[in-house]
């Protein structure tokens, strides 16, 4: 069964490198899906806010890692 | 097609590096048998998953695939930015090739018939890199049914290009600027992932499909800005 564990670990590694970064993306996805529509921004604003959040997560994670 | 081609090119180069190292040290028969078995299994996986795709509701599927594509693409882009800025070491295919050669050369000699070690190593590397290619093709094809074929053709073209170069060069493709490719692919995957996750949530993108290149430009701009900031921070620390 060790090959299965290895395969699962490799699959997990495809999506998760830095746990905090991956968690931030997932949390933002959930917020954008469940909470953002409640603000009733209208038009294409929901989509733009969603994209801006992802860009901010990327920048924050890269700069945090560089500061280490 | 371009996104699938570039992403698949990176993965194929990584798999080829291992196959070449194993082929040179343990013999080509077992190395190529392992690689071919891995490719056949992947083909089966694509046929099974591709068939299952048609049965899933589009919005839910776009959301799930968009989320996975985002996790995958943003992980790639972050790593490419950190490598471009010098925070992480660059991926060196030549060094990996030498390391594989050394490790395999130290193992017991090949048995008569199929060399189990050579078979296992090339099978594993083809499967692992290939699964990434399959995921990229399915994820890109998930947005619209008519994108699955161009994405598949892009991945197939990458496989053929890398295999042809491997036959000609018999060496890992160290000259392929891997981090530049990963940077570009990361940007494209993030753009597609953001777009499809948004569509899956029911958001209307301004400009519809034309939002994808705009998203790619935004990710590229932020990534380039991050590289510049990281380099400046490193210079300040060095002073």
């Amino acid at each position: 069964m060790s090959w299965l564990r290895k395969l699962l670990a490799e699959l997990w590694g495809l999506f998760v490198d830095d746990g905090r970064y991956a968690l931030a993306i997932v949390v933002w996805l959930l917020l954008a899906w469940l909470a953002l529509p409640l603000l009733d921004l209208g038009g294409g604003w929901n989509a733009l806010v969603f994209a801006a959040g992802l860009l901010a997560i990327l920048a924050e994670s890269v700069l945090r890692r560089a500061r280490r | 097609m371009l996104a699938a081609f570039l992403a698949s090119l990176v993965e194929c180069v990584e798999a080829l590096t291992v196959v070449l190292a194993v082929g040179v040290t343990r013999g080509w028969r077992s190395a190529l048998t392992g690689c071919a078995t891995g490719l056949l299994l992947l083909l089966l996986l694509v046929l099974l998953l591709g068939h299952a795709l048609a049965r899933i509701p589009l919005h839910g599927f776009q959301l799930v695939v968009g989320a996975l594509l985002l996790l995958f693409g943003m992980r790639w882009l972050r790593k490419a930015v950190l490598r471009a800025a010098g925070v992480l070491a660059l991926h060196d295919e030549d060094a990996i090739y030498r390391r594989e050669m050394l490790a395999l050369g130290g193992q017991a000699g090949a048995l008569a018939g199929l060399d189990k070690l050579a078979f296992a190593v090339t099978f594993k590397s083809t499967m692992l890199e290939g699964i990434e290619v399959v995921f990229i093709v399915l994820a890109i094809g998930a947005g619209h049914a008519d994108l699955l074929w161009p994405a598949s053709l892009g991945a197939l073209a990458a496989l053929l290009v890398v295999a042809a170069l491997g036959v000609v060069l018999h060496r890992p493709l160290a000259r392929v600027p891997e981090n530049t490719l990963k940077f570009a692919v990361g940007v494209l995957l993030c753009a597609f992932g953001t777009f499809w996750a948004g569509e899956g949530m029911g958001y209307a993108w301004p400009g519809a499909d034309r939002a994808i290149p705009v998203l790619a430009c935004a990710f590229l701009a932020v990534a380039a800005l991050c590289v510049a900031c990281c380099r400046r921070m490193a210079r300040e620390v060095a002073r």
Side-chain angles (χ1 to χ4, degrees):
Chain A
M1 293 302 273
S2 71
W3 67 271
L4 186 65
R5 263 202 301 274
K6 269 187 192 168
L7 184 71
L8 290 175
E10 293 278 354
L11 279 175
W12 176 258
L14 286 181
F15 304 103
V16 181
D17 185 12
D18 177 310
R20 195 167 144 180
Y21 180 56
L23 187 67
I25 296 168
V26 171
V27 168
W28 179 239
L29 274 164
L30 289 173
L31 278 174
W33 184 31
L34 303 171
L36 206 53
L38 301 178
L39 297 178
D40 201 20
L41 297 171
W45 282 104
N46 279 349
L48 295 178
V49 171
F50 169 56
L54 290 170
L55 292 167
I57 289 170
L58 172 69
E60 187 278 332
S61 176
V62 167
L63 296 177
R64 178 167 48 85
R65 176 64 183 82
R67 264 189 226 112
R68 249 197 260 162
Chain B
M1 190 177 194
L2 181 67
F5 176 77
L6 291 176
S8 305
L9 199 66
V10 174
E11 303 307 332
C12 290
V13 167
E14 289 178 13
L16 177 72
T17 301
V18 177
V19 173
L20 287 176
V22 174
V24 168
T25 50
R26 310 284 296 191
W28 289 101
R29 192 173 149 232
S30 302
L32 292 177
T33 308
C35 179
T37 310
L39 284 174
L40 278 175
L41 207 61
L42 283 169
L43 187 67
L44 198 69
L45 197 69
V46 172
L47 291 175
L48 286 174
L49 288 180
H51 185 67
L53 286 182
R55 296 159 187 260
I56 304 170
L58 185 63
H59 270 304
F61 191 58
Q62 279 178 327
L63 181 57
V64 172
V65 167
L68 290 175
L69 204 55
L70 268 175
L71 283 170
F72 185 72
M74 285 187 70
R75 176 183 149 268
W76 254 24
L77 186 57
R78 176 181 179 272
K79 207 174 246 182
V81 168
L82 290 171
R83 280 181 174 151
V87 178
L88 294 181
L90 285 172
H91 202 251
D92 187 345
E93 292 297 338
D94 252 347
I96 293 168
Y97 179 75
R98 283 195 298 273
R99 204 164 51 235
E100 288 282 346
M101 291 266 285
L102 207 66
L104 290 165
Q107 304 281 341
L111 300 169
L114 205 67
D115 181 338
K116 284 181 189 164
L117 179 69
F119 178 89
V121 171
T122 54
F123 174 76
K124 194 193 90 171
S125 68
T126 306
M127 275 300 288
L128 290 179
E129 303 301 343
I131 281 174
E132 293 196 43
V133 173
V134 170
F135 170 73
I136 290 162
V137 169
L138 291 178
I140 290 173
H144 297 280
D146 52 356
L147 280 182
L148 192 59
W149 275 110
S152 307
L153 287 177
L156 186 66
L159 176 68
L160 293 177
V161 165
V162 171
L165 286 175
V167 169
V168 173
L169 300 176
H170 270 238
R171 295 218 42 215
L173 305 177
R175 284 181 197 87
V176 174
E178 190 186 328
N179 203 51
T180 311
L181 270 179
K182 280 202 164 176
F183 204 106
V185 172
V187 163
L188 289 173
L189 293 181
C190 287
F192 277 103
T194 307
F195 182 79
W196 281 325
E199 290 245 299
M201 291 172 198
Y203 295 164
W205 287 98
D209 283 3
R210 285 188 296 275
I212 296 175
V214 177
L215 285 168
C217 289
F219 273 103
L220 180 63
V222 169
L225 201 65
C226 286
V227 172
C229 285
C230 289
R231 283 183 181 157
R232 205 180 63 194
M233 282 160 64
R235 275 199 303 272
E236 280 170 9
V237 169
R239 261 186 231 147

